């Protein structure tokens, strides 16, 4: 008897549990609801013009449910979809939710305070050309997008996550004025990205703009940290002005920027790290600020014809100006150097002015 009661109680509990999960359809969109929230699980039709605005709330049985999630593969291969608007209530977009929506060219992520957690393949193989972004995103969301050209972001977007636009080779326009942090590889190989405005940036992580098409960089006073290779191989970069409170230019920061001609360093910079400007073959102008240490390879194979070092310089490491074949004159007279090193392979060198010591 006791066993029968236990089995009956278990059966009732299962029935009650199932009663919380309700499925229904509204305006061609299928939902499953539980407690007070709803998940979009699929569709049966898309508006005739191809423009779909997902619901923030949905009503069923006299009750309102807050839509929070788009289920994995919910709109898989939906070729009728051309423009998608996702409201701020939706916080999760699962794997492959809009994969292979090959005719979707416009995406609007409505303004909101909470981050949108979209899987890295949520929009895989879509043809998105224009995106409007109103909140912070999860990493890799637009990675390898073949069609993305233009991105507009609201003031709520303060972080560009790692790999967000990596390999978006057609991306040419994006507003970054309010962004404070740019993550690792965020704009890796964005070849068409020529102009950036990062007026409020505080941190740029490693390889953020590696191989991008930027032509001029002005780093603001808000900047506190640059990372390894963040502008390496930006082959169109001609000028860089570094303000901010940086203490050092990190290793390989501008490595291989073959069009770079001039650098202006802020007064806060004390050290130029290993290979920071290596192979910047056209670099011939620099404003040193208060630099005190230049590490090995920092200016290897650069285009200087004449270098005059500041009085703050106290350490010039081995091979720091290795193979600078155009270098004709070195002025060390103002420095605190006790040992001179770093100029092997400077085959055009004609004049060296030493300090008194």
């Amino acid at each position: 008897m006791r066993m029968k009661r236990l089995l009956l109680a278990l059966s009732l509990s299962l029935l009650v549990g199932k009663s919380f999960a309700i499925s229904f359809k509204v305006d061609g969109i299928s939902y499953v609801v539980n407690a007070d929230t709803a998940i979009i699980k699929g569709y049966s039709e898309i508006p005739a013009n191809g423009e779909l605005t997902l619901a923030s709330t949905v009503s069923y049985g006299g009750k309102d449910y807050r839509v929070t999630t788009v289920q994995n593969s919910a709109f898989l291969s939906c070729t009728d979809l051309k423009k998608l608007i996702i409201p701020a209530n939706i916080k999760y977009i699962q794997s492959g939710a809009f994969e292979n929506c090959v005719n979707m060219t416009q995406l609007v992520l409505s303004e909101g305070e909470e981050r949108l957690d979209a899987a890295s393949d949520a929009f895989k193989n879509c043809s998105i050309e224009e995106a409007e972004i109103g909140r912070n995103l999860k990493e890799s969301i637009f990675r390898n997008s073949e069609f993305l050209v233009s991105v507009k972001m609201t003031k709520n977007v303060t972080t560009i996550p790692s790999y967000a636009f990596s390999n978006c080779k057609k991306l040419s326009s994006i507003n970054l004025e309010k962004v404070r942090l740019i993550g690792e590889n965020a704009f890796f190989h964005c070849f068409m990205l020529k102009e950036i405005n990062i007026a409020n940036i505080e941190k740029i992580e490693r390889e953020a703009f590696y191989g991008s098409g930027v032509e001029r960089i002005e780093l603001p006073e808000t900047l506190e940290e640059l990372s390894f290779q963040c502008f390496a191989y930006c082959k169109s970069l001609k000028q860089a002005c570094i303000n901010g409170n940086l203490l050092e230019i990190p290793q390989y920061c501008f490595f291989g920027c073959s069009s770079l001609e001039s650098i202006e360093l802020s007064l806060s910079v004390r050290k130029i790290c290993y290979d920071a400007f290596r192979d910047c073959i056209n670099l011939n102008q620099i404003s040193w600020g208060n630099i005190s240490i230049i590490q090995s390879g920092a200016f290897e194979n650069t285009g200087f014809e004449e270098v005059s070092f500041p009085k703050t310089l106290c350490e010039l490491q081995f091979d720091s100006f290795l193979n600078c074949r155009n270098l004709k004159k070195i002025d060390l007279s103002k420095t605190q150097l006790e040992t001179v090193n770093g100029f092997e392979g400077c085959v055009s060198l004609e004049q060296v002015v030493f300090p008194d010591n």
Side-chain angles (χ1 to χ4, degrees):
M1 186 67 179
R2 184 178 178 184
M3 182 61 69
K4 288 182 179 180
R5 288 177 179 174
L6 287 172
L7 290 172
L8 179 60
L10 179 60
S11 299
L12 288 172
S13 68
L14 290 172
L15 288 171
V16 170
K18 286 183 180 180
S19 69
F20 280 101
I22 304 170
S23 298
F24 57 88
K25 187 181 296 183
V26 176
D27 296 330
I29 305 298
S30 301
Y31 299 89
V32 59
V33 296
N34 197 338
D36 296 320
T37 61
I39 296 173
I40 296 174
K41 67 175 186 177
Y43 74 100
S44 59
E45 58 181 301
I46 299 295
N49 64 359
E51 183 174 319
L52 175 63
T53 301
L54 300 180
S56 295
T57 58
V58 64
S59 299
Y60 182 77
K63 184 175 180 179
D64 292 335
Y65 297 91
R66 186 165 51 92
V67 183
T68 62
T69 305
V70 181
Q71 186 174 287
N72 57 291
S73 304
F75 293 87
L76 179 66
S77 300
C78 179
T79 56
D80 294 330
L81 185 57
K82 298 177 181 178
K83 180 178 180 179
L84 175 65
I85 301 173
I86 299 176
N89 267 12
I90 293 181
K91 296 189 291 184
Y92 307 100
I93 301 178
Q94 295 180 350
S95 178
F98 297 93
E99 186 175 349
N100 293 334
C101 294
V102 294
N103 294 317
M104 183 168 72
T105 60
Q106 293 178 279
L107 174 65
V108 178
L109 305 176
S110 299
E111 191 167 350
E113 298 297 329
E114 293 189 71
R115 188 183 80 163
L116 175 63
D117 284 341
S120 60
D121 64 348
F123 299 99
K124 185 178 179 180
N125 295 333
C126 291
S127 299
I128 300 169
E129 298 174 1
E130 300 177 10
E132 296 181 26
I133 301 173
R135 48 186 161 150
N136 289 325
L137 304 172
K138 192 176 180 180
E139 64 182 35
S140 302
I141 184 169
F142 294 105
R143 187 177 188 178
N144 298 326
S145 175
E146 296 182 18
F147 301 94
L148 188 63
V149 173
S150 174
V151 178
K152 297 179 181 178
M153 294 191 290
T154 71
K155 63 182 180 181
N156 284 358
V157 182
T158 58
T159 299
I160 305 298
S162 296
Y163 297 92
F165 300 97
S166 179
N167 274 317
C168 291
K169 295 178 181 179
K170 292 185 178 180
L171 179 64
S172 61
S173 175
I174 187 168
N175 59 312
L176 301 170
E177 291 92 334
K178 303 298 182 182
V179 172
R180 297 180 182 276
L181 185 149
I182 297 176
E184 178 180 343
N185 288 87
F187 295 98
F188 180 90
H189 282 172
C190 291
F191 300 127
M192 299 302 294
L193 188 61
K194 305 294 184 183
E195 297 182 15
I196 55 172
N197 182 346
I198 45 178
N200 291 287
I201 199 70
E202 295 175 359
K203 182 179 181 181
I204 302 176
E205 295 185 345
R206 59 183 294 153
E207 300 180 346
F209 290 93
Y210 185 105
S212 70
V214 291
E215 296 177 346
R216 184 179 184 276
I217 294 169
E218 183 164 357
L219 301 176
E221 293 184 358
T222 54
L223 182 67
E224 297 177 355
E225 184 178 341
L226 284 179
S227 299
F228 176 82
Q229 286 193 336
C230 54
F231 294 103
Y233 288 103
C234 293
K235 293 183 179 295
S236 298
L237 181 64
K238 294 181 178 180
Q239 183 180 5
C241 180
I242 300 171
N243 300 305
N245 297 308
L246 291 177
L247 295 178
E248 65 179 38
I249 306 300
Q251 189 174 4
Y252 291 101
C253 187
F254 293 91
F255 176 72
C257 294
S258 55
S259 297
L260 185 62
E261 297 174 353
S262 66
I263 285 286
E264 184 175 341
L265 300 177
S266 69
L267 297 177
S268 64
V269 176
R270 295 290 188 271
K271 181 168 70 173
I272 299 176
C273 294
Y274 301 101
D275 302 293
F277 295 97
R278 181 179 168 187
D279 290 344
C280 295
I281 57 176
N282 284 297
L283 181 59
N284 55 54
Q285 296 180 43
I286 188 165
S287 173
W288 291 109
N290 289 320
I291 198 72
S292 60
I293 301 172
I294 299 176
Q295 291 190 324
S296 297
F299 292 96
E300 180 180 337
N301 196 29
T302 51
F304 289 104
E305 294 182 6
E306 182 175 331
V307 181
S308 180
F309 294 101
K311 64 181 180 180
T312 52
L313 184 66
C314 58
E315 184 178 345
L316 193 61
Q317 292 186 3
F318 179 75
D319 284 348
S320 50
F321 286 82
L322 178 68
N323 292 333
C324 292
R325 298 181 182 277
N326 297 327
L327 189 59
K328 296 178 180 179
K329 180 180 178 181
I330 302 167
D331 187 349
L332 301 163
S333 62
K334 298 177 183 178
T335 71
Q336 303 174 45
L337 293 175
E338 296 182 358
T339 301
V340 177
N341 204 345
F343 297 98
E344 182 181 351
C346 297
V347 294
S348 300
L349 189 61
E350 299 173 350
Q351 182 180 4
V352 182
V353 183
F354 291 101
D356 291 341
N357 62 349

